[in-house]
């Protein structure tokens, strides 16, 4: 044990906690009686009928194997594989997210470079930023009139603020003497922005982008529960209506795994984008 690295010991501890947690979960779920074990009174009162309840992990694992062995099947509007549902959700998240990035990063650059622009726009940002993204949903459905586009708009509105604020903060934090050196070399404003300010602010901008993708993935589940049709949020809600709690637990785990992968991608990108003074 003493020869193991820190990461190896942490991985072993994680596996141990997972196994113990699953065993406790499995033991905590009471098994339903088989029909032959029921008394005549229980049979007459319907006690032998299957009851909805929190499933044990063994059932969730069987469900996961069943779903992941054919994730892209399509048996109609309300019966699609988990891969298709996650694909719809990722498409909506990335569309709204990229639209937000196209606006937030240039706008944040402007606010970060100009004290006047910062003071002028700050009251609007402070009022709009705390509004829950889902509060925009009724207005979006009324104005846009399309549930798909409304879900993308909600992702757009929840993604824009962390990117905008972090970009403005990163640009405003670039040292003034670096900008002055660029001026002494007679660099124009555009060249100064791309060769001096953007590289220095890039780590902070990426932090905002990482926060935004996490929020967007959180919000898409709730948005799809409201708009319905397709997506992992709709899948959860549809399985709840079917009282299939095993599928609900499985889909919750899938939401966590996809969210972790999205965050890991941006974490990897952050480690690659560093700026040394």
């Amino acid at each position: 044990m003493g020869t193991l690295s820190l990461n190896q010991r942490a991985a072993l501890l994680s596996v141990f906690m997972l196994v113990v947690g699953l065993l406790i979960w499995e033991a905590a779920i009471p098994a339903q009686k088989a029909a032959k074990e029921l008394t005549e009174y229980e049979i007459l009162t319907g006690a032998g009928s299957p009851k909805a309840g929190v499933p044990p992990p063994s059932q969730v694992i069987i469900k996961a194997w069943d779903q992941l062995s054919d994730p892209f099947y399509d048996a109609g509007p309300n019966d699609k594989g988990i891969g298709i549902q996650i694909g719809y959700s990722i498409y909506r998240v990335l569309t709204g997210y990229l639209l937000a990035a196209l606006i937030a990063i240039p706008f944040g650059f402007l606010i970060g470079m100009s004290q006047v622009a910062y003071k002028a726009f700050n009251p609007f940002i402070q009022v709009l930023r705390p509004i829950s993204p889902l509060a925009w949903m009724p207005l979006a459905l009324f104005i846009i009139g399309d549930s798909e586009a409304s879900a993308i708009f909600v992702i757009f509105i929840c993604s824009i603020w962390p990117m905008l604020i972090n970009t403005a903060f990163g640009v405003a934090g670039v040292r003034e003497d670096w900008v002055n050196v660029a001026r002494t070399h007679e660099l124009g404003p555009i060249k100064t922005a791309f060769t001096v300010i953007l590289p220095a602010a890039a780590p902070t901008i990426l932090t905002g982008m990482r926060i935004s993708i996490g929020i967007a993935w959180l919000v898409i589940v709730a948005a799809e529960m409201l708009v319905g049709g397709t997506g992992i949020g709709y899948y959860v809600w549809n399985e709840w209506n079917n009282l299939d709690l095993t599928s609900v637990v499985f889909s919750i785990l899938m939401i966590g795994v996809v969210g972790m992968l999205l965050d890991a991608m941006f974490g990897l990108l952050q480690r690659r984008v560093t700026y040394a003074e």
Side-chain angles (χ1 to χ4, degrees):
M1 192 73 175
T3 59
L4 297 177
S5 68
L6 180 66
N7 288 339
Q8 288 172 328
R9 281 181 285 163
L12 281 175
L13 182 59
S14 295
V15 171
F16 174 75
M17 288 191 294
L18 176 65
V19 171
V20 170
L22 291 175
L23 288 174
I24 293 173
W25 180 6
E26 183 81 29
I29 306 299
Q32 291 192 7
K33 287 183 179 179
K36 61 183 181 182
E37 297 173 349
L38 298 172
T39 64
E40 187 176 352
Y41 174 77
E42 288 174 323
I43 294 172
L44 289 174
T45 55
S49 304
K51 295 178 180 176
V54 177
S58 55
Q59 282 187 21
V60 178
I61 291 170
I62 293 170
K63 172 64 74 175
W65 177 260
D66 181 53
Q67 288 284 327
L68 296 176
S69 59
D70 187 13
F72 298 105
Y73 77 89
D74 189 348
N78 290 326
D79 190 9
K80 298 182 189 299
I82 191 73
I84 293 178
Q85 305 287 16
I86 290 175
Y88 274 111
S89 298
I90 289 177
Y91 158 72
R92 289 171 186 139
V93 164
L94 292 183
T95 304
Y97 178 83
L98 291 175
L99 288 172
L102 284 175
I103 293 176
I105 294 176
F107 196 53
F109 227 90
L110 173 67
I111 293 174
M113 292 180 71
S114 167
Q115 282 285 325
V116 175
Y118 174 79
K119 289 183 180 297
F121 285 108
N122 189 49
F124 300 102
I125 295 171
Q126 296 308 322
V127 169
L128 294 173
R129 186 172 60 90
I131 298 173
S132 168
L134 294 179
W136 293 97
M137 181 62 84
L139 196 60
L141 285 169
F142 179 77
I143 294 174
I144 300 173
D146 180 78
S147 59
E148 174 90 12
S150 299
I152 291 172
F153 172 77
V154 169
I155 296 304
F156 166 82
I157 207 75
C158 77
S159 302
I160 197 167
W161 305 119
M163 281 193 276
L164 191 150
I165 292 168
N166 270 54
T167 302
F169 179 75
V171 170
V174 176
R175 286 169 54 177
E176 189 67 26
D177 49 350
W178 295 348
V179 180
N180 291 334
V181 169
R183 286 179 184 145
T184 60
H185 284 81
E186 298 183 347
L187 296 182
I190 302 295
K191 199 165 185 179
T192 301
F194 278 97
T195 57
V196 177
I197 298 174
L198 182 59
T204 312
I205 295 172
L206 273 173
T207 301
M209 296 177 75
R210 187 177 182 181
I211 294 170
S212 287
I213 196 71
I215 295 173
W217 186 246
L218 285 174
V219 170
I220 191 63
V221 175
E224 287 173 343
M225 283 182 179
L226 291 174
V227 299
T230 51
I232 190 68
Y234 171 72
Y235 179 85
V236 174
W237 194 248
N238 191 45
E239 296 304 329
W240 158 245
N241 288 328
N242 295 331
L243 284 181
D244 186 353
L245 293 182
T246 307
S247 293
V248 171
V249 174
F250 164 67
S251 53
I252 289 171
L253 293 175
M254 290 304 298
I255 290 168
V257 170
V258 174
M260 181 190 70
L261 292 176
L262 288 173
D263 184 71
M265 285 170 55
F266 275 87
L268 185 65
L269 192 61
Q270 262 189 312
R271 285 195 289 276
R272 290 182 179 275
V273 179
T274 55
Y275 185 76
E277 293 187 11

